[in-house]
């Protein structure tokens, strides 16, 4: 296999404590509405809630019936209604309509709204405007972090990316800051904080304010360093096809809140099975970070070992058989069930991912990353669009072309855009506008010459505010610098070099040896240098906003690094950091606003009024 745990690797903190804290607070809030009650839950909170407090626990605290919030008239006959929701204006308006409808009907009920992870002023304003502010009680469930696994924590806020990076809505910044503060409160202070990105800087400031307001703890920290990184620092990584096992499972079957539903094509039955994907699944734990080409060999060997273990029963006497049944049989059956599922999943993925279209897709991606045969790549993208192979892959290749080439030539942009709209619908005009706004899909501007830049800068030189000059260069440098960054950080291994995916030499294995994730390479370099010294040019090409702060409690006793991705993190990046940690004898804990991939990234890019891009 690619890599094994080092013996000197530090142990991980117990994150199950975070679940217990969240559950206890939720129970306290439910008990504030004594007696039987019906609970309405936002659809995207149902899976996280099930990980914290399942139906049995809720029933124990007098929750009678559970409903999904569907923004339509309700059928509940209960005299007490409790709403567990995200702080969204549309949902609050729906609740207000329910209350007003009951008033008109002369019906008296008690209403309680529990906002999570926090309550926003705008929602309370809506209640006031709708005339129901005095009829409902409101509260907050400070559910900031959900442990998905021993070393993966999620805020479960997929909207963070769209709201912050596309719409400039910074309301979730304080939520991310509060999540860091919670980790600090429970597991001790951090000695050093590194970061890059505008949002990362705001989250750090928000967390620092909370830290200064609260009481200072002197306990020994369980992890010492934190790295904050914005998703828009590295768009290339989530746009690349994932080829590690867990990433492929996410791309094809869609992992949701740490679990996946395998259909009949995987289970070899007429039923679908929901499976938790974490380190408790020993088969999955051994293959999750492996390149897909290695997985079948491992599963085949595992099956042989399992058969050998079963065959031990032959020739046993009664006492030995009794001991075998008591000690081993249950575990072997469980392992057999999981092995069958992962073999079925691998076969299903193999059918979809070994087709000629996928191989050509990977070849095009690798060529774009290396900067070779760009005209051939554009021809392939045109064929892909015109054959309508995949809407999401077509858009992904367009974005990858734009970022790696620092924008598309005007004629190419117009031609590819027209072909895409003809193939997939005129409604995606707004999608293109959003992608362009964020720098994911841009047209090179012929007028943006040195003369134009000089005139802009010259105008700013007359301004006495020195800081504005730097801001001007940052805004002018907003376009991608992928080629320069790739060369400076050696992100793309030299073509022609042999790369053994069975024994990888670096993090590039997560993309078949073709590319080291920029985000992970940055983290590696900053950790090596203990800051940004020597990386000033790299930081400038990434539009700055980098920082490194040493806190009061200086300690490097623990070799555990917390990495927070603001705007989403891919399973490929998690695998790369796992590899890096095992190479360096440290451990990485990933905290993310949500797990992302190319499909989710580009769905978020699409306008809210446009139908979501379908896989």
């Amino acid at each position: 296999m690619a890599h094994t745990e080092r013996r000197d690797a530090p142990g991980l903190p117990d994150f199950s404590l975070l679940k217990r804290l969240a559950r206890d607070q939720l129970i306290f809030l439910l008990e504030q509405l004594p007696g039987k009650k019906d609970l309405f839950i936002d659809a995207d909170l149902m899976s996280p809630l099930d990980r914290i407090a399942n139906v049995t626990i809720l029933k124990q605290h007098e929750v009678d019936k559970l409903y999904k919030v569907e923004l339509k008239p309700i059928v509940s006959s209960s005299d007490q209604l409790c709403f567990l929701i995200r702080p969204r204006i549309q949902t609050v308006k729906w609740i207000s309509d329910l209350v007003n409808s009951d008033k008109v009907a002369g019906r008296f009920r008690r209403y309680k709204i529990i906002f999570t992870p926090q309550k926003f002023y705008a929602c309370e304003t809506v209640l006031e405007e709708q005339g129901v502010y005095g009829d409902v009680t409101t509260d907050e469930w400070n559910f900031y972090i959900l442990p998905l696994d021993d070393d993966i924590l999620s805020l479960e806020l997929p909207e963070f990316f769209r709201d912050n990076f596309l719409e400039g809505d910074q309301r979730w910044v304080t939520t991310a800051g509060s999540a860091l503060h919670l980790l600090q409160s429970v597991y001790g202070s951090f000695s050093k904080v590194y970061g890059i990105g505008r949002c990362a800087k705001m989250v750090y400031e928000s967390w620092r304010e909370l830290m200064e307001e609260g009481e200072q703890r002197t306990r020994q920290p369980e992890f010492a360093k934190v790295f904050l990184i914005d998703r828009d620092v590295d768009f290339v990584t989530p746009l690349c096809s994932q080829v590690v096992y867990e990433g492929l499972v996410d791309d094809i079957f869609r992992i949701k809140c740490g679990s996946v539903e395998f259909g009949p094509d995987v289970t070899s039955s007429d039923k679908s099975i929901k499976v938790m994907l974490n380190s408790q699944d020993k088969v999955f734990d051994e293959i999750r970070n492996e390149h897909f080409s290695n997985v079948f060999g491992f599963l085949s060997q595992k099956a042989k070992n399992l058969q050998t273990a079963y065959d031990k029963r032959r020739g046993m006497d009664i006492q030995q058989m009794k001991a075998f049944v008591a000690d081993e049989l249950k575990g072997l059956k469980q392992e057999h069930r999981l092995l069958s599922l992962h073999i079925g999943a691998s076969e299903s993925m193999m059918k979809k991912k070994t087709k000629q279209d996928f191989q050509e897709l990977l070849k095009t991606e690798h060529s774009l990353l290396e900067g070779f045969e760009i005209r051939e790549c554009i021809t392939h993208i045109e064929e892909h669009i015109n054959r309508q192979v995949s809407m999401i892959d077509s858009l992904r290749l367009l974005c990858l072309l734009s970022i790696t080439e620092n924008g598309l030539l005007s004629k190419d942009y117009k031609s590819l855009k027209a072909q895409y709209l003809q193939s997939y619908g005129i409604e995606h005009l707004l999608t293109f506008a959003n992608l362009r706004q964020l720098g994911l899909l841009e047209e090179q501007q012929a007028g943006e010459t040195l003369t134009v830049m000089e005139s802009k800068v010259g105008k700013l030189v007359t301004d006495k505010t020195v800081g504005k000059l730097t801001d001007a260069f940052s805004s002018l440098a907003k376009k991608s610098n992928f080629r320069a960054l790739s060369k400076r950080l050696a992100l793309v291994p030299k073509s022609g070099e042999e790369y053994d995916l069975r024994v990888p030499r670096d993090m590039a294995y997560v993309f078949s040896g073709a590319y080291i994730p920029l985000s992970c390479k940055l983290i590696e370099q900053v950790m090596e240098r203990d800051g940004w010294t020597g990386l000033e040019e790299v930081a400038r090409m990434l539009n700055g906003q980098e920082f490194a702060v040493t806190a009061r409690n200086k300690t490097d006793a623990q070799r555990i690094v917390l990495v927070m991705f603001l705007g989403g993190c891919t399973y490929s990046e998690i695998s790369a950091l796992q590899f890096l940690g095992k190479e360096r004898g440290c451990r990485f804990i990933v905290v993310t606003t949500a797990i992302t991939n190319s499909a989710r990234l580009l769905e978020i890019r699409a306008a809210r009024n446009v139908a979501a891009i379908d896989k």
Side-chain angles (χ1 to χ4, degrees):
M1 302 306 284
H3 41 268
T4 55
E5 197 70 68
R6 281 174 50 153
R7 290 182 182 178
D8 62 343
L12 290 169
D14 179 13
F15 291 119
S16 65
L17 181 58
L18 298 173
K19 287 186 182 181
R20 293 200 297 273
L21 288 171
R23 182 171 62 244
D24 290 348
Q25 191 195 11
L26 178 60
I27 289 169
F28 173 78
L29 293 172
L30 290 173
E31 288 178 344
Q32 301 256 308
L33 195 62
K36 284 195 172 184
K37 53 199 153 277
D38 285 355
L39 181 61
F40 291 79
I41 309 166
D42 255 341
D44 57 350
L45 280 173
M46 297 192 89
S47 292
L49 179 63
D50 192 48
R51 299 283 299 266
I52 299 297
N54 57 29
V55 174
T56 305
I57 292 172
L58 296 175
K59 294 280 186 184
Q60 288 170 358
H61 296 278
E62 298 187 283
V63 171
D64 189 24
K65 294 176 182 175
L66 287 92
Y67 299 93
K68 182 167 70 174
V69 170
E70 294 181 311
L71 305 183
K72 62 184 184 181
I74 63 172
V75 294
S76 171
S77 58
S78 175
D79 290 333
Q80 296 198 114
L81 305 181
C82 188
F83 303 89
L84 183 61
I85 63 169
R86 294 289 192 199
R88 296 177 182 134
I89 288 175
Q90 186 182 20
T91 312
V92 176
K93 282 183 176 177
W94 170 72
I95 295 170
S96 300
D97 290 342
L98 292 179
V99 176
N100 283 324
S101 177
D102 282 349
K103 281 183 182 179
V104 171
R107 175 159 196 179
F108 174 78
R109 299 201 231 210
R110 294 181 68 191
Y111 312 92
K112 182 179 181 68
I113 303 175
I114 301 174
F115 293 103
T116 185
Q118 63 196 86
K119 179 167 53 178
F120 290 133
Y121 173 74
C123 293
E124 293 187 308
T125 302
V126 171
L127 293 173
E128 194 171 351
E129 288 173 349
Q130 299 295 315
V132 298
Y133 188 79
D135 300 298
V136 302
T137 56
T138 62
D139 225 319
E140 288 183 326
W141 180 33
N142 302 133
F143 173 40
Y144 295 120
I145 303 175
L146 176 67
L148 298 180
D149 207 346
D150 295 341
D151 52 5
I152 305 174
L153 311 175
S154 175
L155 278 67
E156 289 300 299
L157 287 174
E159 63 263 53
F160 186 105
F161 181 69
R162 180 193 61 225
D163 288 352
N164 188 83
F165 295 100
L166 177 62
E167 299 181 4
D169 185 343
Q170 297 164 6
R171 59 182 173 159
W172 300 117
V173 166
T174 54
T175 304
S178 297
L180 277 177
H181 186 249
L182 173 62
L183 288 169
Q184 178 208 33
S185 301
V186 177
Y187 301 103
S189 301
F190 313 119
S191 65
K192 293 186 177 177
V193 184
Y194 314 100
I196 184 163
R198 183 166 172 265
C199 184
K201 208 160 192 174
M202 289 191 293
V203 168
Y204 167 72
E205 292 297 335
S206 173
W207 165 60
R208 189 172 60 83
E209 286 175 14
L210 289 169
M211 184 174 62
E212 289 173 355
E213 290 171 9
E215 58 181 278
Q216 297 297 316
R217 295 175 178 266
T218 56
R219 58 167 290 185
Q220 179 76 10
E222 296 195 46
F223 32 72
K225 296 179 181 178
V226 173
F227 195 104
L228 309 177
I229 184 167
D230 284 9
R231 181 70 275 167
D232 66 355
V233 166
D234 174 18
F235 277 141
V236 170
T237 298
L239 288 172
C240 292
S241 294
Q242 301 195 84
V243 286
V244 291
Y245 182 74
E246 190 168 16
L248 266 173
V249 171
D250 187 38
D251 280 352
I252 295 174
F253 300 105
R254 195 145 189 162
I255 300 173
K256 187 176 181 181
C257 206
S259 67
V260 65
E261 190 167 311
F262 288 135
D265 59 325
V266 172
T267 61
S268 300
S269 68
D270 57 352
K271 293 181 180 179
S272 295
I273 297 177
K274 192 174 183 180
V275 182
M276 292 297 298
L277 296 178
N278 54 35
S279 54
Q280 302 303 309
D281 178 342
K282 298 305 179 187
V283 176
F284 172 72
D285 196 41
E286 291 191 63
I287 60 174
R288 65 191 304 174
N289 297 318
E290 291 298 320
H291 189 278
F292 190 62
S293 61
N294 299 333
V295 170
F296 264 117
F298 171 81
L299 293 175
S300 175
Q301 186 59 49
K302 196 81 173 172
K304 290 176 184 176
N305 295 343
L306 196 62
Q307 188 59 53
T308 303
Y310 272 123
D311 290 344
K312 285 197 308 184
R313 294 175 295 177
R314 295 173 185 172
M316 285 184 178
D317 58 30
I318 293 176
Q319 288 298 322
Q320 289 172 326
M321 182 63 76
K322 188 176 179 181
F324 176 80
V325 171
D327 301 333
E328 295 182 49
L329 188 59
K330 186 178 178 181
L332 289 174
K333 284 184 175 179
Q334 171 72 354
E335 191 173 345
H336 183 268
R337 185 184 74 85
L338 293 171
L339 187 60
S340 297
L341 282 173
H342 290 297
I343 289 173
S346 297
E347 288 174 341
S348 179
M349 290 191 289
M350 185 71 81
K351 290 174 186 174
K352 295 171 184 175
K353 291 299 184 183
T354 53
K355 293 178 182 176
Q356 184 180 358
D357 283 336
F358 183 65
Q359 295 305 317
E360 289 179 358
L361 187 73
L362 285 181
K363 182 183 175 184
T364 302
E365 283 181 23
H366 295 174
S367 295
L368 290 173
L369 292 167
E370 293 171 5
F372 294 152
E373 301 177 336
I374 300 303
R375 295 318 305 178
E376 286 84 348
C377 290
I378 292 174
T379 301
H380 173 75
I381 294 170
E382 287 179 324
E383 291 175 0
H384 203 276
I385 292 170
N386 294 328
R387 287 169 52 214
Q388 297 184 332
V389 177
S390 163
M391 185 188 297
I392 197 73
D393 284 341
S394 296
L395 198 57
R396 185 163 64 81
L397 289 173
L398 284 174
C399 293
L400 201 56
L401 171 65
S402 175
I403 293 173
T404 53
E405 290 299 301
N406 199 14
L408 277 66
L409 294 173
S410 186
K411 63 174 185 176
D412 290 330
Y413 179 85
K414 288 170 182 173
S415 171
L416 289 164
K417 180 180 176 181
Q419 291 177 67
Y420 190 92
L421 295 175
Q422 285 168 2
S423 280
Y424 300 116
I426 197 70
E427 66 269 18
H428 288 291
L429 268 171
L430 203 46
T431 301
F432 272 78
N434 287 345
L435 294 171
R436 187 169 187 164
Q437 181 181 330
L438 284 142
L440 260 180
L441 184 51
E442 292 187 299
E443 176 184 3
Q444 289 180 5
Q445 298 299 320
E448 196 72 23
T449 60
L450 182 62
T451 309
V452 176
M453 288 178 69
E454 283 177 338
S455 67
K456 288 183 179 179
V457 175
K459 184 180 178 183
L460 282 160
V461 169
T462 61
D463 196 309
K464 293 179 181 178
T465 310
V466 179
K468 288 190 178 179
L469 191 59
T470 306
D471 292 341
F473 279 116
S474 292
S475 64
L476 291 173
K478 185 64 181 172
K479 288 194 175 185
S480 168
N481 290 298
F482 178 76
R483 290 276 172 259
L485 284 165
S486 178
K487 186 176 180 181
R488 183 66 186 263
L489 295 173
L491 299 179
V492 178
K494 293 178 182 177
S495 57
E497 287 186 359
E498 287 289 328
Y499 199 101
D500 188 352
L501 292 169
R502 291 169 298 179
V503 190
R505 60 175 180 263
D506 54 31
M507 293 183 285
Y509 91 92
V510 301
F511 291 118
S512 304
Y515 167 65
I516 297 173
L518 169 58
S519 54
C520 301
K521 188 71 173 182
L522 267 181
I523 292 164
E524 177 193 38
Q525 291 292 305
V526 171
M527 296 304 165
E528 270 186 10
R529 300 163 189 265
D530 197 18
W532 294 94
T533 305
L535 295 171
E536 293 85 358
E537 187 182 345
V538 168
R540 182 184 59 77
M541 286 190 280
L542 292 168
N543 299 309
Q545 303 288 340
E546 77 282 4
F547 58 93
V549 182
T550 300
R552 297 172 194 166
N553 301 326
K554 293 184 180 180
T555 174
D556 286 311
Q558 292 290 346
R559 287 165 291 125
I560 299 179
V561 182
L562 198 73
V563 179
M564 178 178 259
F565 287 87
L566 298 160
C569 170
T570 65
Y571 282 114
S572 296
E573 287 167 307
I574 294 172
S575 296
L577 290 175
Q578 295 276 9
F579 177 88
L580 179 62
K582 287 168 183 174
E583 289 284 294
R584 303 296 170 91
C586 63
R587 296 291 288 268
F588 285 94
I589 295 168
V590 172
V591 185
T592 179
T593 50
I595 297 294
T596 193
N597 57 22
S598 58
R600 294 189 189 106
L601 191 79
L602 295 172
E603 281 173 4
I604 290 167
R605 290 294 193 235
R608 292 178 181 180
N609 298 329
V610 176
I613 297 172
D614 194 8
K615 274 187 177 179

